[in-house]
Amino acid sequence: MGNKIKFRAIWNVAISEFIKWITNPRIIIAGVLIVFIRSFAVLPMLEQADKYGEPLNILEPFIAVGNSGMLALFLPLVFLLLISDFPIMGGNTLFFIYRTGKLNWFLGQIVFIIISIFAYIGTVLISCMFMSKGVFSTQWSNSITKFNAAFPDEAGGFVSKLLPSNLYNQIPIINAVIGTILLIAMYLLTLALILCIMKMLYLRAAGLFSALTVIVLGAASCSLKIRVMWIFPTANTLMWLHYEEILREPITPVGNSFLYFLILIVVLIIANLFVLRNLQFINIEQDGI
């Protein structure tokens, strides 16, 4: 099983895995998530927009979802359920490995998971845009930014917690969308790499437990707003946590969070490659599933 990189082989592995992933009945969980997002985030925002008398920006519901403390728990958790058997090490895995080599098989798995991550985030983004019934603009909507001033008795309500002023006072909306997409993608890739290294060690249950622990502890530390939260991916994913409500000076530069994820991902990929190098696909059918 050679180590020569073959891009076509990598792509074939990735596409094969992606087709299996989207045709797995488990994918229905993503639909359940969309229904939950509509009830939890989109409908309250639409009600506020109707009360103010102006439509939402179609990008605002997605930004709210990507920066919600509650959904910071559900978004990665649902993705974890969708990729809980990643990487699949059974069935025709040996066929791929003998044809492509271990390295190309592994790189194909990474390409697959990246495609899956952006398909997952893209589904959430498009669903939020479709459900928002709003208009596209490069500016935050008045129904978000001016609602508290127009209705001071309702200031600090539920929608204000979904889209806090830390976001719309400090970050242009396009930057908020791009930053939210990229940070969530890096978070999900981190979880996938944890699953991958543990799966190649034939410790699938331990991998799921480790990833779940990262999600839960990260969400809990964010809700408590304790300094240790920056150790976990969750705080580094939520853009509004990086900024003060009024002052322009960031609490922690967003660039630090990108660097945090970059270092974490590189370390995990190196660790995966080390395990891969020493991996013997013996009894894969019995132990790898």
Side-chain angles (χ1 to χ4, degrees):
M1 290 181 277
N3 289 321
K4 184 179 179 181
I5 293 178
K6 301 176 182 178
F7 293 103
R8 184 170 181 178
I10 293 169
W11 183 250
N12 287 340
V13 170
I15 292 303
S16 174
E17 295 296 333
F18 184 73
I19 291 172
K20 286 189 286 187
W21 185 65
I22 61 174
T23 55
N24 190 310
R26 189 189 305 153
I27 203 72
I28 192 110
I29 300 172
V32 176
L33 175 66
I34 298 302
V35 173
F36 177 74
I37 286 172
R38 180 177 182 272
S39 300
F40 181 82
V42 179
L43 289 182
M45 294 179 71
L46 287 174
E47 290 172 3
Q48 177 169 301
D50 287 341
K51 186 166 186 176
Y52 187 81
E54 292 187 22
L56 295 169
N57 186 318
I58 60 173
L59 300 174
E60 287 169 339
F62 173 75
I63 298 171
V65 167
N67 287 275
S68 162
M70 176 68 73
L71 290 170
L73 178 65
F74 281 101
L75 277 178
L77 185 59
V78 169
F79 188 72
L80 184 64
L81 291 173
L82 292 174
I83 64 161
S84 59
D85 53 0
F86 173 78
I88 296 175
M89 293 170 60
N92 59 359
T93 300
L94 278 176
F95 169 77
F96 273 117
I97 292 169
Y98 279 112
R99 289 199 59 182
T100 67
K102 288 195 294 185
L103 179 60
N104 290 313
W105 171 80
F106 172 75
L107 294 177
Q109 297 297 324
I110 298 303
V111 173
F112 152 67
I113 207 65
I114 290 173
I115 294 172
S116 301
I117 285 168
F118 282 102
Y120 178 70
I121 296 173
T123 299
V124 175
L125 171 62
I126 293 170
S127 298
C128 288
M129 292 172 66
F130 179 77
M131 294 185 294
S132 71
K133 303 177 183 178
V135 295
F136 175 77
S137 172
T138 57
Q139 304 295 323
W140 296 94
S141 69
N142 289 333
S143 60
I144 292 297
T145 60
K146 298 181 179 179
F147 183 84
N148 289 344
F151 300 92
D153 292 342
E154 299 183 32
F158 181 70
V159 175
S160 296
K161 295 177 182 177
L162 285 175
L163 268 181
S165 57
N166 309 53
L167 270 173
Y168 58 75
N169 282 340
Q170 311 292 2
I171 314 171
I173 193 166
I174 300 300
N175 292 8
V177 171
I178 295 172
T180 298
I181 290 172
L182 293 179
L183 288 170
I184 292 174
M186 296 173 87
Y187 183 8
L188 300 182
L189 180 56
T190 298
L191 296 175
L193 289 171
I194 292 172
L195 289 186
C196 188
I197 192 171
M198 299 303 283
K199 186 70 172 290
M200 289 193 297
L201 290 170
Y202 296 102
L203 297 171
R204 180 190 178 192
L208 287 169
F209 179 78
S210 299
L212 182 61
T213 300
V214 168
I215 294 171
V216 173
L217 291 181
S221 61
C222 284
S223 65
L224 296 173
K225 289 191 173 66
I226 52 179
R227 292 294 299 176
V228 73
M229 69 184 181
W230 296 108
I231 296 175
F232 298 99
T234 305
N236 289 280
T237 303
L238 301 177
M239 293 192 71
W240 67 271
L241 276 178
H242 293 75
Y243 294 93
E244 298 281 1
E245 187 172 352
I246 302 297
L247 299 177
R248 284 284 180 183
E249 189 70 24
I251 297 171
T252 298
V254 176
N256 287 0
S257 291
F258 280 104
L259 182 61
Y260 163 89
F261 276 117
L262 182 61
I263 293 172
L264 190 57
I265 288 168
V266 169
V267 169
L268 284 169
I269 287 177
I270 292 172
N272 271 274
L273 288 172
F274 178 79
V275 172
L276 178 72
R277 182 180 179 181
N278 297 282
L279 180 63
Q280 299 296 323
F281 287 88
I282 300 171
N283 297 325
I284 189 171
E285 298 289 342
Q286 289 77 26
D287 300 330
I289 299 175

